[in-house]
Amino acid sequence: MAKSAGLLLVNIGQLLTLPSEADGPRRGASLSELGIIEDAAVLCLGGKIISVGTTKDALRDPWLKKNRKKVTEIDCGGRVVLPGFVDSHTHPVFMHPRLMDFEKRIAGAGYEEIAEAGGGIRSSIEGVRKASKAVLAEKVLSALHDLARHGTTTVEAKSGYGLSPESELKSLEAIRAAAKRWPGTVVPTFLGAHVVPPEFRGRSQSYVDIVCKEMLPAVAKAKLARFVDVFCDRGAFTEKETATIFGAATAHGFGIRAHLGQLSTPTAGFVESLLQTCQPASLDHMDYLNKGDLHALAASTTVATLVPGANYFLGLSCYPDARRLLESGVAVALATDYNPGTSPTISMPMAMSLACTHMRMSPAEAIAAATINGAWALGLADHKGSIEPGKDADLAVFDVRDYREIPYWFGVNRCATAIIGGVVVG
Ligand code: NIG
Ligand code: FE
């Protein structure tokens, strides 16, 4: 990645620093503390943040006085600067939009009904199986560029539409190839257990065996993923199958994350057992939960990642109960869930807008959930998610005067500039 010699941002109207206070994801009242500095400046060198303060203090700095000519300066003209978004849940390896599903849903069919009739995740398999790695990598890269244009600088990317040893490896290789050509950070996740592919219909155990005995060892050997995810829900994988896959994944040293509680409530005690046996970095969706799960989650460092784009796009009137999670002390993150079936958006500001309007998260909570808590959900909080000396110089400049405008202006892109590793990318 190109590292800038030096970059100085000055005249920032509001700089949202989100300083890390405690050693863990933010929860409760701390999600609202954005660490705002007005009329601020940030100095970046060698891809890292060096100093953060007021413009006045920055310009008085002796080192900067001497070296100002060597540093690229951006006058932010009163705009808002915040950490680049950390989108901790995306499915970018697919070929085609699912327009038939879209129309069927508009005509009244439900997500599960469409999936049972041959649409849904299974209808994205053929495109991926037939595509070359290079073509898939282009698709992923194009999404990564779009993400950066909307202020996202770190992205988790899942496989999950190949669903055979060959096509899952190809999907992860495509993620790796795209990541090499994008300056931001990509965290790859193996989602071989997305659904049971059609050729294993009625034989899910045989597919789980292949996931555990063939795919996981191959992914581990080629170091193609950091996390393993399972879609654990009605119509996908059972809790028992999920536990089996996570057991194998843990043995191979993968981190764990899961799609859980999107369509149905997990069995009482299942979340707690997952927390104990494999300390997932994140449990995602969480539309349906037991009361006991809230306490177990609040006592853990596992993040609950909410993806309201999926509820919006499926036309649901119900959204995850973010207030209940927040008030119980659960660490909440927000992500796009970018995928062709339930959430074809790469926009974190859109996810944040939905979080505010449909889940009653405050703009401040939404920002913390989309930055520092996203970083925790990926195990990257040491380097990402806040604007502090020593952290990676990944920033987003928004063409607004007040941070609350970021989720307020929905459906337009107000990201003026994304900066990755101290370099302006768009
Ligand atoms: O997060 N729930 C499982 N996976 C995706 C949907 C994928 C698809 O429909 O293609 C989700 O919503
Ligand atoms: Fe998803």
Side-chain angles (χ1 to χ4, degrees):
M1 181 171 63
K3 298 264 187 250
S4 77
L7 181 73
L8 177 69
L9 304 184
V10 293
N11 296 325
I12 300 166
Q14 292 181 334
L15 176 70
L16 316 185
T17 62
L18 288 114
S20 346
E21 298 126 6
D23 189 24
R26 286 177 177 230
R27 50 185 99 233
S30 77
L31 268 157
S32 305
E33 288 156 21
L34 300 183
I36 299 178
I37 306 176
E38 292 187 347
D39 197 4
V42 181
L43 176 65
C44 312
L45 284 176
K48 299 282 176 195
I49 295 162
I50 298 297
S51 63
V52 174
T54 61
T55 301
K56 216 160 109 198
D57 286 347
L59 298 181
R60 272 201 218 118
D61 179 89
W63 183 90
L64 196 61
K65 275 188 174 161
K66 231 165 87 194
N67 292 281
R68 191 129 175 224
K69 286 216 174 77
K70 292 188 201 151
V71 169
T72 306
E73 201 167 305
I74 298 180
D75 185 339
C76 293
R79 292 185 180 85
V80 171
V81 174
L82 74 163
F85 298 123
V86 179
D87 190 347
S88 58
H89 183 146
T90 82
H91 306 247
V93 197
F94 63 89
M95 283 302 291
H96 309 293
R98 291 218 298 267
L99 302 176
M100 241 156 51
D101 293 11
F102 186 42
E103 284 193 323
K104 278 190 182 170
R105 237 181 356 259
I106 294 164
Y111 180 67
E112 291 176 86
E113 195 185 329
I114 291 170
E116 275 154 28
I121 296 167
R122 288 183 190 87
S123 61
S124 291
I125 298 175
E126 194 185 337
V128 168
R129 287 189 181 168
K130 282 191 175 154
S132 68
K133 181 172 84 184
V135 167
L136 289 173
E138 284 303 323
K139 291 275 183 193
V140 176
L141 185 60
S142 144
L144 293 174
H145 287 314
D146 271 354
L147 280 148
R149 274 192 286 274
H150 288 73
T152 298
T153 54
T154 296
V155 181
E156 183 258 13
K158 306 175 198 292
S159 65
Y161 294 110
L163 305 183
S164 69
E166 191 199 347
S167 295
E168 281 297 301
L169 285 172
K170 179 175 67 179
S171 299
L172 290 169
E173 283 164 1
I175 292 171
R176 177 179 281 177
K180 278 194 184 139
R181 293 163 61 197
W182 188 64
T185 299
V186 179
V187 178
T189 294
F190 169 61
L191 178 56
H194 201 180
V195 286
V196 177
E199 63 274 21
F200 283 90
R201 202 184 176 101
R203 295 188 296 128
S204 63
Q205 191 47 52
S206 309
Y207 185 67
V208 170
D209 275 353
I210 290 177
V211 168
C212 294
K213 297 190 181 134
E214 210 178 311
M215 297 196 208
L216 276 174
V219 173
K221 189 164 173 226
K223 295 190 169 51
L224 279 168
R226 197 176 308 166
F227 288 98
V228 168
D229 191 342
V230 174
F231 181 15
C232 177
D233 220 319
R234 202 162 62 201
F237 292 88
T238 64
E239 292 172 356
K240 193 159 167 257
E241 290 164 341
T242 301
T244 303
I245 296 166
F246 284 162
T250 308
H252 281 288
F254 291 105
I256 299 300
R257 51 202 324 108
H259 284 69
L260 197 67
Q262 179 182 15
L263 309 168
S264 59
T265 312
T267 306
F270 180 63
V271 166
E272 201 170 349
S273 81
L274 272 187
L275 296 178
Q276 276 165 11
T277 52
C278 45
Q279 291 94 42
S282 178
L283 297 176
D284 299 22
H285 285 276
M286 309 300 256
D287 296 59
Y288 298 97
L289 272 182
N290 301 286
K291 204 167 168 204
D293 300 341
L294 293 168
H295 303 302
L297 280 165
S300 76
T301 53
T302 297
V303 175
T305 300
L306 309 182
V307 291
N311 300 63
Y312 165 77
F313 191 70
L314 294 179
L316 305 180
S317 49
C318 274
Y319 280 72
D321 196 345
R323 286 260 58 93
R324 192 160 161 241
L325 287 160
L326 291 165
E327 276 146 29
S328 306
V330 177
V332 167
L334 284 171
T336 61
D337 194 11
Y338 171 60
N339 77 74
T342 66
S343 191
T345 180
I346 47 73
S347 170
M348 284 295 276
M350 181 68 197
M352 291 156 67
S353 190
L354 292 170
C356 294
T357 56
H358 288 263
M359 306 196 307
R360 293 176 40 242
M361 287 176 71
S362 70
E365 288 169 336
I367 283 172
T371 55
I372 188 67
N373 273 13
W376 277 105
L378 295 179
L380 293 178
D382 283 352
H383 309 286
K384 309 284 183 191
S386 64
I387 303 180
E388 297 177 274
K391 281 211 175 178
D392 294 347
D394 295 349
L395 315 170
V397 183
F398 268 73
D399 196 6
V400 295
R401 294 286 181 272
D402 183 305
Y403 74 86
R404 292 170 295 185
E405 292 179 72
I406 296 173
Y408 174 90
W409 300 110
F410 79 96
V412 286
N413 183 18
R414 295 265 167 184
C415 178
T417 309
I419 295 159
I420 299 181
V423 177
V424 173
V425 295

